[in-house]
């Protein structure tokens, strides 16, 4: 069979029984805590969809325990204070153990209530055993509780005997026959999906009704819970089978309840979580390529750190240089930056941002077939859709699916989704346009889909049109991100850079968009600037002027782009940057370590290629030598090297060796000389 209940190991999110401890309290306070804890459990409602008998039994026993503890506490009176204060040691030990058992009961009930329903169904035996073991432990503790030494009344003693009998009545864990039948139905349906048999819709509806998954919202919550479950598992086979359940739920959601639209208050937000887009991410935690929060930082041979997915995409596009420095890489090995990853993880926990990567891979046939069935259903519905709202919901489903994994991206493209999406890029409905262009963006992550997007009639022009005149900044930003993704292929980079509309659209977005959209435009510009021919088009399109406009607000991104433009653009680029020398000096003084590093490298290239006029303009900045010395002492390794070179350039200019500045013939300058430069004020 595709998935068997035995496949799934116990959940790892909850602590083991050994992790629970009794509180260090006085006898009376311990008894009060037992009463409060048992009363709290007794107010819980039993599960109605699964494990109803098991959870009802635990809650009922907790209610009886609360009565027992209340009776013992009720005997305390001012006339006879010795009744409660003198518990025998054996009774105190029993109370301690009872407290631990009650804690575990509460935790197990909460776990059942909060976990995925599909997961609970597949683990029905595990949870039944947990409740059975708790009942047996409770029976043992009640059996050895010294009722005579506690001087319990006869009615309380009868209650104790009744509870003991109830706890010891069952010799094996109980699984409701209806729960077992439902589990068998799901396993059978997963097996049919693996064999490419489309599930019976009536049977599918009956299963989801029994699990109280009655609309697209509850199914979406269920998918999120299953994704969280994957994060708590370590066994790859178990993860793979949970992914099959996700595919099953996603298929059922589309077939039974149709597509869904984005929602403002997702489960994670209601739990107090946030996304990296909502919070200002520290610069050192952002990938220099994507400018997004790094999930798996790695170090390349130049010592620069990138997110693994971004640098892998860079390598896959045929690049052999460091994106940040432009240096040729001595090797393409990626070394995990564990220290930085731990710092990012700690920061994410503080900000309540999910840190682990959520990309899942359909690693078994059941999951893959579920994806194919889902895509086929959505595409067929989209072809027949007459309503904008209906189309929007269906495209949103494709958008979500295209984000999950490579297999889903391949399935969507192979199902001829691109021609349908092209028609929707020009929609007047803002949400539909965003969903359509974002789906194309997600599809472009797969290398094979880049060719499909570039070659399918109308797709590229549609994306460019959204970039130029999209209905929302989000649509424009995602169109820019699509350009960035496509430009990862060298041939496509040249082709995109030749299109004036692409360059103009990116420039306008970088100038006028909100911060997140600006960054989408800037990272696309940075990628295009890696090609010499493209740099010429960018300079013609006003990239230097654009950098000047945004340098105050986004200095790090602006200087990084300028560094690449100056390096690749030749004398034309150098001449265009003359007005920015003083602004670069300000970044050199006040910027982040990364910004100062790029500013120093940019100024070195400007001064080397631009001659004495450029050097004179830099030397005219008051205090520039002090700033350079400061970087030489406290900057990054590369920044220190560039600063030293810059200082040599300034000294040669001050010594009147103007003719040799542009040629870079200054490497023999003695850095230990006592001569000081008097910079023009």
């Amino acid at each position: 069979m595709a998935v068997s209940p035995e496949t799934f190991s116990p959940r790892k999110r909850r602590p083991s029984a050994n992790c629970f401890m009794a509180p260090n309290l006085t006898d009376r306070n311990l008894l009060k805590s037992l009463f409060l804890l048992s009363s709290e459990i007794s107010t819980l409602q039993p599960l109605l969809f699964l494990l109803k008998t098991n959870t009802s039994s635990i809650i009922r026993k907790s209610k009886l325990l609360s009565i027992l503890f209340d009776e013992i506490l009720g005997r305390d009176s001012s006339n006879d204070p010795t009744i409660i204060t003198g518990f025998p040691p054996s009774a105190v030990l029993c109370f301690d153990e009872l407290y631990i058992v009650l804690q575990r009961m509460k935790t197990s009930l909460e776990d059942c209530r909060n976990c995925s329903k599909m997961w609970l169904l597949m683990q029905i035996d595990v949870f039944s055993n947990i409740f059975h073991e708790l009942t047996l432990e409770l029976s043992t503790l009640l059996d050895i509780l010294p009722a005579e030494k506690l001087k319990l009344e006869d009615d309380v003693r009868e209650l104790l005997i009744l509870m003991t009998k109830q706890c010891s009545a069952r010799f094996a864990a109980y699984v409701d026959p209806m729960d077992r039948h439902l589990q068998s139905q799901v396993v059978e349906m997963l097996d049919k999906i693996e064999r490419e048999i489309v599930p019976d819709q009536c049977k599918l509806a009956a299963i989801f009704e029994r699990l109280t998954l009655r609309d697209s919202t509850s199914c979406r919550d269920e998918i999120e819970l299953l994704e969280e479950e994957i994060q708590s598992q370590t066994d790859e086979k178990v993860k793979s089978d949970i992914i099959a359940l996700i595919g099953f739920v996603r298929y059922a959601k589309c077939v039974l309840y149709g597509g869904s639209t984005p929602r403002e208050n997702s489960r994670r937000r209601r739990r107090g979580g946030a996304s990296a887009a909502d919070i200002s991410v520290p610069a050192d935690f952002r990938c220099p390529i994507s400018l997004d929060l790094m999930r798996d930082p790695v170090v390349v041979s130049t010592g620069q750190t990138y997110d693994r997915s971004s640098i892998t995409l860079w390598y896959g596009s045929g690049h052999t240089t460091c994106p940040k420095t432009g240096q040729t890489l001595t090797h393409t090995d990626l070394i995990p930056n564990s220290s930085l990853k731990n710092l990012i993880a700690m920061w994410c926990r503080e900000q309540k941002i999910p840190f682990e990567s959520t990309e899942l891979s359909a690693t078994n046939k059941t999951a893959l077939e579920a994806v194919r069935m889902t895509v086929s259903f959505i595409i067929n519905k989209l072809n027949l859709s007459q309503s904008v709202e209906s189309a929007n919901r269906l495209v949103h489903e494709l958008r979500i699916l295209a984000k999950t994994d490579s297999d889903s991206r391949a399935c969507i493209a192979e199902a001829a989704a691109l021609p349908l999406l092209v028609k929707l890029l020009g929609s007047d409905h803002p949400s539909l346009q965003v969903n359509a262009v974002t789906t194309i963006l997600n599809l472009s992550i797969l290398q094979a889909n880049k060719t499909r997007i570039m070659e399918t009639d109308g797709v590229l022009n549609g994306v460019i049109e959204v970039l130029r005149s999209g209905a929302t900044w989000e649509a424009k930003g995602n169109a820019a991100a699509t350009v960035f993704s496509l430009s990862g292929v060298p041939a496509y980079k040249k082709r995109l850079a030749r299109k004036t509309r692409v360059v103009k659209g990116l420039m306008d977005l970088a100038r006028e968009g909100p911060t997140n959209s600006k960054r989408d435009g800037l990272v696309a510009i940075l990628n295009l600037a890696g090609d010499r021919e493209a740099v010429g088009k960018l300079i013609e399109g006003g990239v230097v002027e654009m950098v000047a406009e945004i340098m105050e607000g986004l200095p790090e991104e602006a200087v990084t782009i300028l560094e690449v433009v100056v390096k690749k653009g030749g004398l034309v680029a150098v001449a265009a940057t003359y007005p920015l020398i003083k602004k670069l000096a300000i970044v050199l003084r006040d910027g982040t370590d990364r910004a100062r590093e790029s500013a120093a490298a940019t100024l070195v290239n400007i001064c080397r290629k631009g001659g004495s006029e450029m050097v004179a303009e830099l030397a005219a900045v008051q205090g520039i030598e002090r700033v350079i010395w400061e970087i030489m002492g406290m900057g990054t390794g590369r920044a220190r090297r560039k600063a030293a070179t810059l200082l040599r350039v300034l000294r040669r200019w001050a010594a009147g060796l103007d003719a040799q500045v542009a040629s870079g013939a200054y490497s023999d300058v003695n850095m230990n000389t006592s001569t000081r430069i008097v910079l023009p004020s």
Side-chain angles (χ1 to χ4, degrees), residues 32 38 52 79 151 218 235 268 275 289 315 357 376 390 459 469 636 667:
K32 281 184 177 180
S38 58
K52 182 177 180 180
N79 295 329
K151 300 179 181 179
S218 60
D235 185 273
R268 289 190 177 100
S275 69
I289 297 175
Y315 286 168
S357 173
S376 176
S390 173
V459 178
S469 56
T636 64
S667 59

Side-chain angles (χ1 to χ4, degrees), residues 236-250:
E236 292 302 319
K237 179 64 167 63
V238 174
K239 289 183 178 182
S240 173
D241 289 325
I242 297 176
I243 291 170
L245 292 178
I246 292 174
F248 177 56
V249 175
R250 184 174 282 122

Side-chain angles (χ1 to χ4, degrees), residues 168 414 569:
S168 58
E414 289 166 1

Side-chain angles (χ1 to χ4, degrees), residues 438-574:
T438 309
T439 303
I440 294 174
L441 166 61
N442 292 339
L443 291 175
S444 72
I445 297 171
L446 184 66
Q447 195 72 11
N449 284 346
K450 288 179 169 58
T451 302
R452 289 189 176 105
I453 292 170
M454 294 295 289
E455 302 304 330
T456 300
D457 188 39
V459 178
L460 180 58
N461 285 333
V463 171
I464 295 172
E465 192 57 35
V466 174
L467 174 64
R468 290 294 313 279
S469 56
T472 63
W473 287 116
E474 183 183 2
K476 292 181 177 182
N478 288 346
T482 306
V483 170
F484 164 74
S485 178
L486 296 173
S487 64
V489 179
Y492 298 156
K493 180 184 296 186
K494 293 179 183 293
R495 182 173 162 186
L496 288 165
R498 292 191 194 106
K499 293 183 178 292
T500 305
R501 290 188 303 152
V502 171
V503 174
K504 181 70 165 57
L506 293 174
M507 297 299 172
D508 291 343
L509 182 64
R511 283 190 176 101
E512 302 166 8
T515 301
N516 285 341
S517 298
K518 279 180 184 286
R519 287 197 168 103
D520 287 326
L522 290 171
V523 76
I525 291 169
L526 178 62
N527 209 31
L528 291 178
D531 179 76
R532 290 188 183 278
E533 181 183 337
V535 168
K537 297 293 183 181
L538 291 174
I539 293 172
E540 291 175 12
V543 67
V544 176
E545 293 77 7
M546 179 274 294
V547 166
E549 292 178 30
I550 69 166
M551 191 172 289
E552 186 175 344
L554 296 169
E556 190 169 307
E557 291 84 350
V559 175
T560 301
I561 290 174
L562 195 62
E563 178 187 353
V564 177
V565 168
V566 169
K567 183 176 181 179
K568 299 280 187 178
L571 293 177
V572 176
V574 172

Side-chain angles (χ1 to χ4, degrees), residues 202-383:
C202 291
K203 292 181 178 179
L204 193 64
I207 290 172
F208 277 68
E209 173 65 26
R210 173 74 195 283
L211 291 172
T212 66
L213 300 174
R214 299 187 175 114
D215 52 37
S216 63
T217 301
S218 60
C219 288
R220 188 159 49 184
D221 284 342
E222 177 70 8
I223 291 170
E224 287 183 6
L225 285 168
L226 285 167
E227 288 173 348
E228 290 175 9
E229 204 62 60
I230 289 177
Q231 302 296 342
S232 68
Q233 292 291 335
T234 57
D235 185 273
E236 292 302 319
K237 179 64 167 63
V238 174
K239 289 183 178 182
S240 173
D241 289 325
I242 297 176
I243 291 170
L245 292 178
I246 292 174
F248 177 56
V249 175
R250 184 174 282 122
Y251 170 76
K253 176 167 79 79
C254 292
V255 171
L256 298 178
Y257 311 120
S260 58
T261 54
R263 54 184 173 178
E264 293 297 324
N265 297 315
S266 69
R267 287 184 57 261
R268 289 190 177 100
R269 289 187 182 276
R270 289 201 299 269
R271 289 182 175 186
S275 69
D278 302 323
I279 296 173
S280 178
V281 179
D284 289 339
F285 293 172
R286 288 186 181 275
C287 174
I289 297 175
S290 68
L291 301 180
D292 288 332
L293 179 70
M294 288 188 281
R295 306 285 177 173
D296 187 9
V298 292
V299 180
V300 298
S301 64
T302 58
Q304 298 294 322
T305 298
Y306 302 94
D307 200 18
R308 184 183 295 275
S309 59
S310 297
I311 193 64
T312 301
L313 184 63
W314 177 266
Y315 286 168
S317 301
H319 294 287
T320 58
T321 58
C322 174
K324 180 74 175 172
T325 66
Q327 296 171 276
T328 301
L329 298 168
T330 56
H331 59 78
T332 56
D333 295 340
L334 300 176
I335 303 169
N337 192 334
S338 302
S339 299
L340 181 58
K341 185 173 183 178
N342 291 336
L343 288 173
I344 296 173
M346 289 171 60
W347 180 82
C348 286
R349 282 195 294 271
E350 291 172 0
Q351 301 296 330
K352 298 183 179 178
I353 297 174
F355 174 65
E356 292 296 333
S357 173
T358 56
E359 175 154 329
L360 310 174
S361 176
T363 53
N364 63 32
K365 194 171 187 299
T366 305
L368 184 58
E369 290 305 324
V371 168
R372 284 177 178 156
M373 289 180 185
T374 305
V375 170
S376 176
F377 178 84
I378 293 173
I379 296 298
N380 289 337
K381 283 286 186 181
L382 198 55
N383 274 313

Side-chain angles (χ1 to χ4, degrees), residues 31 45 55 109 288 308 313 318 376 386 432 451 462 527 553 602 612 619 661:
L31 200 57
Q45 294 297 316
T55 55
L109 288 169
R308 184 183 295 275
L313 184 63
S376 176
Q386 301 294 322
L432 179 55
T451 302
N527 209 31
T602 305
S612 59
V661 167

